[in-house]
């Protein structure tokens, strides 16, 4: 179990500080992450990687020439927030665009995706690179659903080498995506890990057993088996990967045998001894393989095997020099000169505020006031939403909505007073919401408001059609980043009828107030169907009165917000 | 616990094979170890390091430019045998002499020391370098008794850099010894490790507690405390080291914060964050510190802090480039050319046999016959010696003596038939004994016979005085390498009176047969005093008859051998 910490919730942040202190010649701290001490060339594509902490060397240990330009560190096993990712990416940007690399987990997809949208909104060409190498997590037909594990290293190495070689962002993205498509991993676990401050493991594997295909956070595997000798374990790792050998491939492979924390080096070497025979038997040629700890999971016992099927370009990029705290390729030839380090600010890099037209400024003030009412209503509903969420989730929805909306209202006030137009105010309010609320719904509300704001623009008073287009854009952003469909019991369930109704009412010639009222009613009715309870006048029906079923707090709170905003619109 | 293995007793050997397979561009396998794939320059001092397995990166992970030329891998937590060390050192020798580096543990001191003697006997200038950094293991007044832990890395790095820079063996030895004298470490443990195939840990630490100063194999620490926050742990590691700051030192330090296996990187970074404040507060300047896993102990939970007090030369050598599988200094600049590797033989490198004079050859044949009688007697006494040893030790003494003496007799026969003189026959018989017997007593018998043989030489029939001088040399070798004093309940107890009596009898003008008989009687009588039992005519008194006390099997078997040899001498 994790033993060394002070306050458990400060573990990741203090570890980040300690990492930077231990590598002053290699990295510089920025808010929630680190960048190279000596930045890459002007115009170089920046490779920014990240995810939850607890996986070192992932991701901070990858910062260095030929690998990443920067890494973002979330809390232990938790995605960094959208603003953390965007802030680190801004600090790493060298003018050539930014590739955001991460393992394919819902929270990371959301936050790195939302960060990319924010950065693009600021004129930075940002692309996302979700690594999907874990063959145990989904079938070959659903590759996009696969989780990212130690294949991260293979894919980031390729992206890093391509960027270091001066390729443009399209070329880097293309070869990195090919690297991902060519990478497969399979893992086994012998025992779970314990988060800082927790009395018991996050998950366990029965003594004397192997969790076959178990994920690095304890995600379900394929099966549990009795422990077997090393030679059989090697086969257990190898067989699922060789099964996905591309037809006609010449057999050149980059390979990583990765220890998850408590399965130590000599155990990995024992496995490697057996694996070399299997590679041989299948006519595979090992190109610069790696055996060690590359993606850990605190003190989890287990290991994984990763293979990247190489072509000429991938082989060259895989073998290109790299020099990061916990990863290298090539040979040491000299001692680094100490004078090259150019300090960057460790403070978050914030986007600047652009002034809007007078009309748009007036709309912005109105918008800020609406957000204030919304925040007040959500504060009042906080406990009730929490109780509803606790039926199906972890009960933090009310808190997140209250915290997020309050931050959004405050940011809208600040930004509108600084002269921003409606579009900017709503976008930045969305960012503030996401950053303060945390969690999945916070990130989704953030991207929704940002997408909506981008439709409003800063030049004119938004008309009904523009508002409806904004709602549509917001909905699409939520679907794109959140990946949920109607009926999945998410806020989509009430958001979809809201947007449909708003659009059709506006198309039918109704004014915004009437159209919004109809849309809010449609969303409330849908939330009712989803939730088996009716939010009335800003309050959900008391828990005791509601019928069975798992109410979706997200759908309810969206309907609630729609009603509150409608009320404000109708009151002028 | 260690989970990945096939047959537990093959764990270390298979891990070695896997390590070499995983690092084909960096190392080449030799028997019981590995050497650099691309050897150092002709005439370079070779740095050969080693010890028990289970501590990777120690010791194989240190092989590379600027670090070690080769490493010897013993079984898990067990010293490599004398011949393993000597064999790897022969393969690594570049003509500039060999420095044998190891942590200061009894078995390693014995085997690396005996290997150095063997190598010197073959004309290779071999020196030993025992690392003694663990301040918890002995007081500052008894530095030579301190164990070696992660300070290994500091000392080997200095030795490696000095050798790479082309210094001669005296200079390398001097600066490496200064590095050792300037290095201190302190460790804490949170939980024990489990050897391959064992059902329970080698040692444990109570849950929620810290073993303060606990050794990396579970050697007793200073005290056990309740677990404390990271900031207090940092102080626990730091205080004992700063207490040994040399008077007037300018504060430049090389530092290693080392994880023992299950205490992971982010925990170490948390500690490092706190430690940096302590270094600052004491005016210490960190020179290229290292935070990570450098000397592990299977899956042991815990960590250690090591400091080397630098001077100009040590600082320069510490920062010099190094490039080993698990340790590097400097920056990667290019990809290694693949063509430089010159294969070396993986077979043990054996010493060649030099012919003796005709007289010495006759003595050699006689010696071989005496060894055969001795082996027969020890085979007969095997079970009894085992039972005696089981009273105080692990009961393998009889087996080791029988196996060792049989190997010595066979080797003496082979070498004498090849025409070697008495000196060579006895020396090589000693090597065979040590290699086959294993354990401490095997290594001691090996060095004893080798030292004795070196006195006999290969040119003339040995006279009584020469034999007595040989006995004295053998005794001194045992004391030097074994470190025991009379009364410590070791074979010294019967060896000392044997040698004293033999010398005084010869000095008094008695012939060898008479002198030897008296000496054998003295050793028997001493073994009796030690053991509370009398070995008679090749058999110890049955266990049931002996009085209380822990009999020393080693003293008894030496007395037994003395009597058997005496009998042979007197029978002509």
């Amino acid at each position: 179990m994790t033993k060394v910490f002070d306050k458990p919730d400060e573990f990741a942040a203090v570890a980040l500080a300690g990492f930077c202190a231990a590598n002053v010649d290699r990295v510089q701290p920025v808010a929630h992450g680190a960048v190279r001490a000596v930045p890459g060339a002007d115009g170089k594509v920046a490779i920014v990687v990240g995810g939850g902490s607890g996986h070192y060397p992932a991701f901070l240990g990858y910062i260095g020439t030929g690998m990443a330009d920067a890494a973002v560190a979330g809390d232990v096993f938790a995605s960094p927030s959208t603003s953390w990712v965007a802030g680190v990416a801004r600090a790493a940007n060298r003018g050539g665009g930014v590739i955001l690399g991460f393992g394919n987990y819902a929270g990371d997809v959301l936050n790195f995706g939302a960060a990319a949208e924010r950065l693009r909104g600021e004129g930075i060409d940002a692309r996302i690179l979700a690594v999907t190498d874990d063959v145990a997590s989904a079938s070959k037909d659903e590759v996009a659903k696969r989780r990212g594990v130690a294949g991260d290293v293979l894919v980031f190495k390729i992206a890093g080498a391509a960027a270091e070689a001066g390729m443009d962002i399209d070329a880097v993205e293309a070869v990195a995506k090919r690297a991902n498509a060519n990478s497969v991993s399979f893992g086994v676990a012998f025992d779970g890990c314990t988060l800082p401050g927790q009395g018991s493991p996050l998950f366990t594997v029965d003594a004397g057993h192997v969790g076959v295909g178990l994920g690095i956070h304890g995600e379900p595997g394929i099966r549990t088996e009795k422990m077997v000798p090393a030679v059989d374990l090697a086969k257990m790792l190898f067989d699922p990967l060789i099964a996905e050998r591309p037809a006609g491939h010449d057999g050149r492979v980059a390979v990583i045998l990765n220890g998850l924390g408590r399965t130590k080096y000599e155990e990995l070497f024992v496995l490697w001894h057996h694996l070399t025979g299997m590679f041989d038997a299948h006519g595979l040629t090992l190109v610069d393989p790696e055996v060690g700890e590359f993606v850990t999971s605190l003190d989890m016992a287990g290991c994984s095997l990763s293979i990247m099927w190489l072509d000429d370009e991938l082989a060259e990029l895989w073998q290109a020099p790299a020099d990061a705290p916990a990863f290298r390729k090539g040979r040491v030839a000299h001692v680094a000169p100490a004078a090259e380090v150019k300090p960057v600010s460790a403070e978050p890099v914030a986007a600047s505020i652009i002034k809007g037209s007078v009309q748009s400024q007036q709309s912005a003030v109105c918008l800020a006031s609406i957000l204030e009412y919304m925040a007040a209503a959500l504060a009042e509903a906080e406990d009730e939403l929490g109780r509803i969420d606790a039926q199906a989730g972890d009960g933090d929805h009310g808190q997140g909505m209250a915290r997020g909306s309050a931050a959004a209202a405050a940011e809208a006030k600040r930004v509108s007073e600084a002269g921003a137009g409606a579009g900017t105010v709503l976008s930045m309010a969305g960012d503030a919401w996401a950053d303060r609320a945390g969690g999945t719904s916070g990130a989704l509300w953030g991207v929704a408001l940002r997408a909506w704001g981008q439709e409003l623009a800063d030049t004119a008073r938004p008309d009904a059609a523009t508002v409806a287009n904004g709602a549509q854009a917001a909905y699409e952003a939520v679907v794109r980043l959140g990946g949920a469909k109607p009926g999945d019991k998410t806020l989509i369930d009430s958001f979809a009828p809201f947007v449909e109704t708003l659009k059709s009412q506006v198309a039918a010639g109704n004014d915004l107030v009437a159209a919004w009222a109809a849309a809010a009613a449609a969303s409330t009715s849908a939330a009712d169907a989803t939730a088996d309870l009716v939010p009335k006048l800003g309050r959900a029906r008391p828990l005791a009165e509601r019928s069975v079923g798992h109410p979706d707090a997200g759908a309810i709170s969206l309907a609630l917000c729609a009603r509150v905003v409608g009320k404000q619109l109708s009151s002028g």
Side-chain angles (χ1 to χ4, degrees), chain A:
Chain A
M1 63 189 291
T2 303
K3 300 267 190 179
V4 183
F5 52 85
D6 301 282
K7 294 179 188 163
D9 59 354
E10 291 173 5
F11 179 78
V14 177
L16 168 61
F19 163 78
C20 291
N23 292 281
V24 281
D25 56 334
R26 293 181 173 273
V27 304
Q28 295 186 64
V30 294
H32 310 297
V35 299
R36 291 188 195 173
V38 182
D42 279 353
K44 174 185 176 298
V45 175
I47 309 298
V48 177
V49 299
S53 291
H55 299 300
Y56 192 89
F59 296 89
L60 295 164
Y62 305 153
I63 303 171
T65 50
M67 283 283 278
D69 295 84
V72 199
D75 273 330
V76 178
F77 291 1
S79 172
S81 78
T82 303
S83 74
W84 293 12
V85 176
V88 172
R90 284 187 204 106
N93 178 30
R94 304 295 297 151
V98 178
I99 290 186
L100 302 177
F102 52 91
N104 188 40
Y105 296 90
D108 292 313
V109 170
L110 199 56
N111 284 300
F112 284 82
E117 300 215 343
R118 263 193 220 183
L119 294 166
R120 285 195 293 272
E122 297 163 19
I124 298 173
D125 190 352
R127 318 277 176 97
I128 58 167
L129 175 64
V131 179
T132 55
D133 57 312
D134 186 356
V135 308
S137 55
S139 75
K140 205 178 171 181
D141 304 331
E142 296 189 306
V143 165
K145 286 191 180 174
R146 286 180 171 175
R147 301 183 293 249
V149 288
D152 284 354
V153 182
L154 297 167
V155 177
F156 298 162
K157 171 66 176 76
I158 298 301
E164 207 73 49
M167 292 186 190
D168 69 20
I169 192 164
D170 290 331
V172 175
E173 187 184 23
V175 75
K177 290 199 161 166
R178 196 165 83 246
N180 181 51
N182 284 19
S183 294
V184 285
S185 296
F186 195 85
V188 293
F190 313 127
D191 207 355
C193 53
T194 305
L195 273 61
Q198 297 295 306
S200 58
L202 185 63
F203 62 95
T204 56
V205 178
D206 291 344
H209 285 73
V210 194
V212 182
L214 199 75
I216 59 173
H217 314 95
E219 295 92 344
I222 292 173
R223 63 186 186 277
T224 301
E225 279 192 15
K226 288 224 163 174
M227 187 67 188
V228 292
V231 64
D232 300 316
L233 270 181
K235 199 168 147 53
M236 203 181 272
L237 293 170
F238 183 78
D239 284 352
L241 303 188
I242 196 71
E244 296 203 7
R245 180 178 184 161
H249 187 267
D250 67 11
R252 281 178 298 165
V253 287
V255 179
I256 292 177
L257 179 61
N258 175 59
L260 286 166
R262 206 189 320 171
T263 298
K264 299 311 299 179
Y265 306 101
E266 281 142 321
E267 296 177 88
L268 297 176
F269 292 137
V270 166
L271 271 180
W272 189 254
H273 172 75
H274 296 304
L275 284 167
T276 51
M278 298 177 192
F279 288 119
D280 265 1
H282 284 80
L284 302 185
T285 309
L286 293 167
V287 178
D288 248 338
E290 300 279 352
V291 179
E293 296 182 348
F294 299 94
V295 177
T296 63
S297 209
L298 295 173
D299 63 330
M300 180 171 171
C303 57
S304 65
L305 181 68
S306 302
I307 290 180
M308 176 163 62
W309 309 100
L310 296 174
D311 54 34
D312 287 346
E313 187 184 27
L314 290 176
E316 191 184 329
L317 293 171
W318 170 246
Q319 293 187 279
D323 199 359
F327 190 89
R328 71 176 155 163
K329 284 282 177 203
R331 287 290 184 275
V332 170
H334 67 104
V335 171
E340 285 175 21
V341 178
K342 293 177 203 161
V344 298
S345 168
E347 293 301 305
V349 180
S352 53
I353 296 171
I354 300 156
K355 294 216 178 219
S357 71
V358 175
Q359 281 191 326
S360 185
Q361 284 189 21
Q362 287 168 351
S363 299
V365 171
C366 172
L367 239 172
S369 142
I370 287 176
L371 282 169
E372 212 177 310
Y373 280 104
M374 216 167 99
L378 286 166
E380 200 192 342
E382 176 177 340
D383 290 353
E384 195 62 30
L385 288 171
R387 277 193 289 273
I388 294 166
D389 183 43
Q391 298 294 311
D394 52 8
D396 65 354
H397 182 73
Q399 198 178 52
M401 289 298 289
R403 215 159 49 187
S405 58
E411 179 72 352
K413 184 163 185 287
R414 183 185 77 83
V415 180
S416 63
E417 284 172 1
T424 294
V425 165
L426 195 54
S427 296
M428 293 184 70
D431 294 354
W433 187 314
D435 298 344
R436 194 71 192 89
T440 305
S441 72
L444 290 175
W445 273 86
V447 294
L449 297 194
R450 165 162 284 279
W452 205 324
Q454 279 167 346
E455 286 295 319
L456 299 190
D458 293 331
T459 46
R461 182 185 306 277
D463 58 13
T466 307
V467 171
N469 288 343
Q472 176 70 27
Y475 176 77
E476 284 168 5
V478 168
V479 169
R480 187 170 61 247
L481 290 163
K485 300 178 303 293
D488 286 352
K489 298 247 180 188
T490 70
L491 72 127
I492 291 283
D493 291 338
S494 60
F495 202 4
F498 173 87
V499 173
E500 269 318 302
T501 308
L502 185 65
K503 272 167 54 192
S504 61
Q505 290 273 318
V506 167
N510 289 318
D511 72 2
L512 182 61
V513 174
W516 190 288
S523 72
T524 300
S525 143
D528 183 28
T530 307
D532 297 326
L533 82 170
V534 185
K536 277 184 185 156
L537 298 174
R539 297 194 66 85
R541 187 193 294 178
L543 215 62
E545 294 176 29
R546 62 170 193 76
S547 55
V548 291
H550 287 310
D552 182 63
I556 292 169
S557 57
L558 186 131
L560 171 67
C561 291
R563 292 170 66 93
V564 169
V565 173
K567 228 173 123 188
Q568 284 307 307
L569 288 176
S570 67
S571 73

